[in-house]
Amino acid sequence: SRRVFEVIKAAGITTPVIHHIAFDSSAVRDEIVIKTGSWVGGLLVDGLGDGALIEAPHEDLDFLRTTSFGLLQGSRMRNTKTEYVSCPSCGRTLFNLQEVTDQIRTKTGHLPGVAIAVMGCIVNGPGEMADADFGYVGGAPGKIDLYVGKEVVQRGIPMEGACDALVQLIKDHGRWVEPPAEEEEEAAKEVASVA
């Protein structure tokens, strides 16, 4: 595939290129996602192509659309949803990483183009979240530090109010948009079902 792009470039062709990936009816969802990412993802990351068309006649359009947008988001071509970066969790993690990440996703999942890092501690957290717009990092037991980019802007926030403080920080920096009414209702139902 890379050779095709070399020829296109050498010929001075500027026509957009859409990668077409076709699957037969035996392909399962995991296979579609993994093969699409491995076949096309690297090319898109390197700027070789302008999009992807995933053809799997046995799959529903919503799955194919979600997979396509996920591929474009992962290759930094189009941001259609909030991006989250999280550490893998270790013995230094100062809070329940999965639980807190879910709480943050519930409150911020409607912010396309915003990257939020959720890191368990300050040891590796700031380095791992270098590309995030906002960071939520365990600073001490029961305390959270909030970041904008690589800079700490609030230290020692009690965990109980840290998610709300993160939302306020996003608002203060002009990156917040109100969720559509139906998303608010769905988020409230999701929180109620977990509680």
Side-chain angles (χ1 to χ4, degrees), residues 156-174:
I157 300 168
M159 282 225 24
E160 299 76 35
C163 282
D164 291 332
L166 175 64
V167 167
Q168 188 58 52
L169 184 65
I170 295 168
K171 288 178 179 180
D172 292 346
H173 283 81

Side-chain angles (χ1 to χ4, degrees), residues 129 134-137 144-148 151-157 161-169:
M129 64 179 220
F134 300 95
Y136 181 106
V137 180
I144 300 299
D145 297 340
L146 295 180
Y147 287 70
V148 174
E151 182 183 341
V152 180
V153 294
Q154 294 179 35
R155 289 190 188 273
I157 300 168
C163 282
D164 291 332
L166 175 64
V167 167
Q168 188 58 52
L169 184 65

Side-chain angles (χ1 to χ4, degrees), residues 35-187:
K35 286 187 175 179
T36 299
S38 62
W39 292 344
V40 177
L43 295 170
L44 293 175
V45 167
D46 290 343
L48 304 176
D50 299 283
L53 168 63
I54 304 171
E55 184 180 341
H58 61 289
E59 286 296 344
D60 64 273
L61 183 59
D62 194 46
F63 167 75
L64 296 174
R65 181 177 46 248
T66 301
T67 303
S68 297
F69 281 137
L71 177 69
L72 295 175
Q73 175 125 356
S75 59
R76 304 261 191 254
M77 292 187 68
R78 181 169 181 182
N79 289 323
T80 58
K81 57 187 175 182
T82 311
E83 185 173 344
Y84 298 94
V85 179
S86 186
C87 66
S89 187
C90 69
R92 293 185 303 261
T93 301
L94 297 171
F95 55 86
N96 183 322
L97 195 64
Q98 289 77 20
E99 185 179 301
V100 169
T101 301
D102 286 343
Q103 291 171 5
I104 291 171
R105 280 179 195 244
T106 299
K107 292 184 178 199
T108 62
H110 64 283
L111 302 172
V114 174
I116 300 172
V118 183
M119 300 293 160
C121 73
I122 59 171
V123 175
N124 293 325
E128 291 180 27
M129 64 179 220
D131 293 334
D133 300 311
F134 300 95
Y136 181 106
V137 180
K143 304 287 183 183
I144 300 299
D145 297 340
L146 295 180
Y147 287 70
V148 174
K150 296 178 185 179
E151 182 183 341
V152 180
V153 294
Q154 294 179 35
R155 289 190 188 273
I157 300 168
M159 282 225 24
E160 299 76 35
C163 282
D164 291 332
L166 175 64
V167 167
Q168 188 58 52
L169 184 65
I170 295 168
K171 288 178 179 180
D172 292 346
H173 283 81
R175 301 293 301 274
W176 183 264
V177 293
E178 292 300 326
E182 66 182 43
E183 283 186 24
E184 287 179 1
E185 292 171 14
E186 287 178 27

Side-chain angles (χ1 to χ4, degrees), residues 8-53:
I8 289 171
K9 184 177 180 181
I13 298 170
T14 59
T15 304
V17 176
I18 305 298
H19 296 278
H20 180 202
I21 310 104
F23 294 92
D24 62 30
S25 60
S26 68
V28 295
R29 287 185 169 196
D30 285 346
E31 179 183 1
I32 293 169
V33 171
I34 291 168
K35 286 187 175 179
T36 299
S38 62
W39 292 344
V40 177
L43 295 170
L44 293 175
V45 167
D46 290 343
L48 304 176
D50 299 283
L53 168 63

